[in-house]
Amino acid sequence: MEEAEERHQVEIKVYKQKVKHLLYEHQNNLTEMKAEGTVVMKLAQKEHRTQEGVLRKDMRALKVELKEQELANEVVVKNLRLKHTEEITKMRNDFERQVREIEAKYDKKMKMLRDELDLRRKTELHEVEERKNSQINTLMQRHEEAFTDIKNYYNDITLNNLALINSLKVLRVAWAGETHSACPRMWAAESWGSRPQLSTPTPPILFIGLFDNALLISLIEIPK
């Protein structure tokens, strides 16, 4: 144990000596690096000042050159603007001429198309008017026939009813003259049961239709 402890102490001393040596070397290296850094920095500052002087000189030369280029560019821009204005004026005149030509061309086409459509519309209206008049005439003829049928129908009813009334009047006179009959009431009942009946045929009915927005009325007779 004691020998191990002694070896351990010896190793610690050796390690401490190595650390001191390394620290010394590091301090020397750091001092050398600082000195070298100072020299390098001074050289860099000197070179920087030299480069700065050159750059300033170049900057002044560039400013002069830029000013000359600006003046030259102003002359070029002025000439380009004049040329551009002339070209725009020429293009505007050409465009206005083309627009006038196109307007005249399409005005002529529109007039021709309008005339054609007007002619077609008049033709179609004439055809529709003829069809409407034809159907109206047909319906008016049917109306005349229907009104004639109605007139005859009610004339027949009136004549039948007048005949019935006359028959009843005669029958009433006959009843009044039969005062000595044995069974006047029975005879009257039998006569009443065999009396003529009122004629009630089915009347025609009205038919309402539409043709070209015109209201047309037609009479149709229902079969008996």
Side-chain angles (χ1 to χ4, degrees):
M1 288 292 291
E2 291 180 357
E3 292 179 358
E5 182 68 25
E6 288 178 358
R7 283 197 303 270
H8 181 66
Q9 292 295 329
V10 171
E11 291 177 353
I12 291 174
K13 288 180 181 180
V14 172
Y15 180 75
K16 286 182 178 179
Q17 288 296 329
K18 290 181 177 180
V19 169
K20 287 181 180 179
H21 181 69
L22 290 172
L23 288 173
Y24 178 76
E25 289 182 353
H26 177 70
Q27 187 67 32
N28 288 334
N29 292 330
L30 185 61
T31 303
E32 292 177 358
M33 290 178 65
K34 285 183 178 179
E36 291 177 357
T38 302
V39 174
V40 170
M41 184 177 294
K42 287 181 179 180
L43 292 175
Q45 288 176 352
K46 183 178 179 180
E47 185 178 0
H48 177 71
R49 284 193 294 271
T50 302
Q51 291 179 353
E52 185 177 0
V54 173
L55 289 174
R56 289 180 182 277
K57 184 179 179 180
D58 293 340
M59 183 70 70
R60 286 192 295 271
L62 288 173
K63 286 182 178 180
V64 173
E65 185 178 357
L66 180 62
K67 186 66 175 178
E68 293 176 353
Q69 288 182 356
E70 287 180 352
L71 293 175
N73 289 334
E74 288 179 357
V75 174
V76 173
V77 169
K78 183 177 180 181
N79 294 330
L80 288 174
R81 285 179 177 175
L82 290 174
K83 184 177 179 181
H84 182 64
T85 303
E86 292 176 356
E87 291 179 352
I88 289 178
T89 303
K90 182 178 179 181
M91 291 176 63
R92 183 183 293 110
N93 293 333
D94 291 339
F95 178 74
E96 290 177 352
R97 178 182 55 78
Q98 292 177 4
V99 167
R100 288 192 298 270
E101 292 176 355
I102 293 172
E103 286 179 350
K105 178 180 177 181
Y106 281 95
D107 286 341
K108 183 178 179 181
K109 287 186 176 181
M110 285 295 294
K111 186 178 183 301
M112 293 174 62
L113 181 60
R114 190 180 297 110
D115 294 339
E116 182 181 354
L117 290 176
D118 288 340
L119 179 60
R120 185 183 303 175
R121 180 179 58 83
K122 291 178 180 178
T123 303
E124 291 177 353
L125 287 175
H126 181 68
E127 292 177 355
V128 171
E129 188 71 21
E130 287 183 351
R131 291 198 301 271
K132 183 177 71 174
N133 292 333
S134 177
Q135 293 195 12
I136 289 174
N137 292 331
T138 302
L139 288 175
M140 290 179 65
Q141 185 177 359
R142 291 175 61 187
H143 290 172
E144 292 292 337
E145 294 175 356
F147 280 118
T148 302
D149 292 340
I150 289 176
K151 182 178 179 180
N152 294 333
Y153 167 77
Y154 284 107
N155 286 336
D156 292 341
I157 290 178
T158 302
L159 294 175
N160 291 334
N161 289 337
L162 288 175
L164 178 58
I165 292 171
N166 291 330
S167 299
L168 292 175
K169 288 181 179 180
V170 173
L171 184 59
R172 181 179 178 185
V173 172
W175 285 347
E178 294 292 336
T179 54
H180 301 289
S181 176
C183 299
R185 290 185 179 179
M186 185 178 297
W187 179 83
E190 292 175 355
S191 299
W192 179 259
S194 61
R195 77 189 188 285
Q197 299 294 324
L198 289 173
S199 177
T200 57
T202 304
I205 64 172
L206 290 175
F207 171 75
I208 301 175
L210 286 175
F211 177 78
D212 290 341
N213 297 327
L215 183 63
L216 301 177
I217 301 175
S218 178
L219 293 169
I220 300 174
E221 185 174 358
I222 299 177
K224 298 179 180 178

